[in-house]
Amino acid sequence: MTRISCWTAVATITAAMIVGAAPGARANDEPDALIGAKLTLVKPTKLAKFLAKGTFTMPTAGGDLLTEGGTLQIFDTTFGGAGSNTYALAAGGWSALGNPAGSKGYKYKGAGSGADPCKVVLLKPNLIKAVCKGATVSLVTPFAGNVGVILNVGTDTKRYCASFGGTNVKNDVKLIKRKDAAAPGGCPFVKPTPTATNTRTVTNTPTVTNTPTVTSTATATFTATVTRTATDTRTATNTATATSTRTPTNTATATRTGTATSTQTPTATATPTINIGTHACTLNGSASSIVLATQAFTLPPFAANGTLSYSCGDVGPTGSAPCTCSVVSLAPIVIASIGDVCVNPSGPCPDGAIDCNGGDPLSVSMQADHNIGACASNTACAASCSAFCSGIGATYNPLLIGCEGFCLGGANNDLACTADTQCPGGSCVGAEPPVHVGTCNCACGGTNLGSPSTAGTLACNLGVQIDVELPADSDCLDADTIKLPSLCGPVTTGTATGRIFDVNNNAGINLPVAAPVSMTGAGLSCTTLSTSTMTGLKSVGTLGFFDSTLGDILAQLTFTCQ
């Protein structure tokens, strides 16, 4: 399943990172029902059962349930534990009980198939019960934490929440059975206490020996002599040859006179013609990281180890040069019980640029929206996403798109699906099974943004393809269990911002809530870079992806060369 939708990427690094379960959609017009429960039982690949008895308030907007359906989530509340399952309860399977309709509650009757595993769900004033069967019960016992159960009815009407707790009857590799759980203090969620073993193995670390030559007759250092008087008189001597002096008016000597309060924006200085060349960046693992944030919590940083490559061409008359960046190798991120998250090289990607003398806007941004409208195919979603991105700004373009419940790529592209296995050579967009069928996901990347840059600022598009492999053995040599499409994510040594809108398909709820996350990198002068000195260059970027078992995730990427 395409649990992620955007570089959504390195992180999956994400995705892949996918572990646990995200809190269900927040009820907007009715309070959560926090319920005590009698029994929960999970047998992997066979059965998931839940039973609660007591006095329960029925949703006042019962029609939402009959027209919009609902979901049932069962998950381990400890990160990296047994995992999470979310079952779609389509509107057509619900019926109202009693006369008048709904006075005695509601009943869901499913097929018990892979696409519709819940045979029965009862929501009554004195009983809540659910029985789901089959291979889609993919939780892996034993559980490390409580068994979280959330029955969400209607798109934004009401949640019924339980957390076992309770009496542990059995919890081993065959099943978990717990009974008599007290009502929780709030709806359960995956606690930010990952059990990931951060054992990094750096493999295939190449040695880049490309040493560029300086093709200019000028020296490789920029010589600027700025003499200031009380009237802010600046004398700039930009020596291209031993005797040649350039000024804005092309006279032998230029004197610029400004007021004493002149505002100094990045000053364009004459730049010798050099070829910057291709250079390897070996990541400093203690200063390079991937941070994943969800609506509920932010996970501890994962160290990033490996090698990137930066390649820039000739510096032109304006002082800038085209640049590309690529993954040479990145060590897998190991998540216990989940697998190895592997970030593979991909591309080619559009050129970025380095500004040797400053002045060009080179900040980047990522804006993702879980729901930009309805769709009936990925083709239709792609057209909507293109229009959406261009509406943000002229330099915004789609990073990744997907219409939930449809195959993306492969032989069955644009055919309806509920699982990745139905999409050979591609993936099924959304959770497995999808819970927001017909929703268009869109992530946009913006480049050439912000205020004028300082000299040496570099921005480029990093091509990646991410997959998750089992077992979790610190290598990327096994068959993938989740494979995401390739994409080109913008990174910069300037400023990178990012935000996800309508997070977890909740209209008006954003991640972060108040304002976009903002990160700042660090560049190197073109002269320094041309000598293969990479130490201290710091690229930053943000990514967003949708419908992991943690919910939507905003990834913050920091790659620092040593």
Side-chain angles (χ1 to χ4, degrees), residues 406-412 415-429:
F406 292 86
C407 291
L408 181 63
N412 292 337
L415 296 183
C417 61
T418 58
D420 282 347
T421 53
Q422 299 169 359
C423 306
S427 57
C428 186
V429 180

Side-chain angles (χ1 to χ4, degrees), residues 225-236 256 260 262 264 267:
T225 303
V226 180
T227 303
R228 300 184 183 175
T229 68
T231 58
D232 195 17
T233 301
R234 304 175 195 171
T235 303
R256 300 180 190 172
S262 62
Q264 296 195 33
T267 303

Side-chain angles (χ1 to χ4, degrees), residues 82 271 425 489:
T271 305

Side-chain angles (χ1 to χ4, degrees), residues 28 33 46 74 163 249 267 281 290 298-299 317 345 357 402 483 491 502 512 525 549:
N28 288 338
K46 294 181 180 179
I74 302 176
S163 183
T249 58
T267 303
C281 163
I290 297 164
T298 298
L299 300 177
N357 57 6
K483 186 173 183 177
V491 296
D502 300 328
S525 72
T549 45

Side-chain angles (χ1 to χ4, degrees), residues 431-503:
E432 194 168 289
V435 293
H436 311 124
V437 175
T439 295
C440 184
N441 304 157
C442 178
C444 308
T447 57
N448 304 117
L449 304 172
S451 58
S453 63
T454 57
T457 301
L458 184 155
C460 55
N461 296 291
L462 191 64
V464 296
Q465 184 279 313
I466 298 168
D467 59 47
V468 181
E469 300 179 0
L470 287 173
D473 55 5
S474 300
D475 67 41
C476 289
L477 304 175
D478 306 299
D480 60 79
T481 58
I482 300 173
K483 186 173 183 177
L484 301 176
S486 298
L487 56 92
C488 298
V491 296
T492 183
T493 62
T495 300
T497 61
R499 200 176 193 188
I500 300 178
F501 296 87
D502 300 328
V503 63

